[in-house]
Amino acid sequence: QVQLVESGGGLVQPGGSLRLSCATAGIIFSRSDMGWYRQAPGKERELVADITAGGTTNYGDTVKGRFTISRDNARRTVYLQMNSLAPEDTAVYFCYAKGLRYGRSSFANFWGQGTQVTVSS
């Protein structure tokens, strides 16, 4: 069974920092591309950052220079370090995998349940 479980969300003041974690199971993590997306009320889901199996990173324009995506293949976990947070970053953050499942020869898309990030004074 494939599982993507986010953690680390919460309430933070403007200018503060949070680190989100996404723990995975059921996929060959080292061969899977990973990413973070977010969705705010009334807005479409948007790409925050992604990282390929080879370690290449990509960021949405609104978070460049503030957020950093990384992965730890030994822990089968992807992280999102968020600095200089602003109220506009308030959203539900979702973990994404283009994952290769054990015992399968094809990749599939998987999503976590999301974790709430609220930036407010």
Side-chain angles (χ1 to χ4, degrees), residues 26 30 36 42-43 45 64 66 70 75 80 90 97 107 118:
S30 64
W36 290 95
K43 295 185 178 180
R45 186 172 297 187
K64 287 179 180 177
R66 299 188 297 126
S70 62
R75 296 185 177 184
L80 183 69
T90 296
F107 290 82
T118 302

Side-chain angles (χ1 to χ4, degrees), residues 2 8 23 68 85 95 112 117:
V2 174
T68 303
L85 284 163
C95 182
V117 172

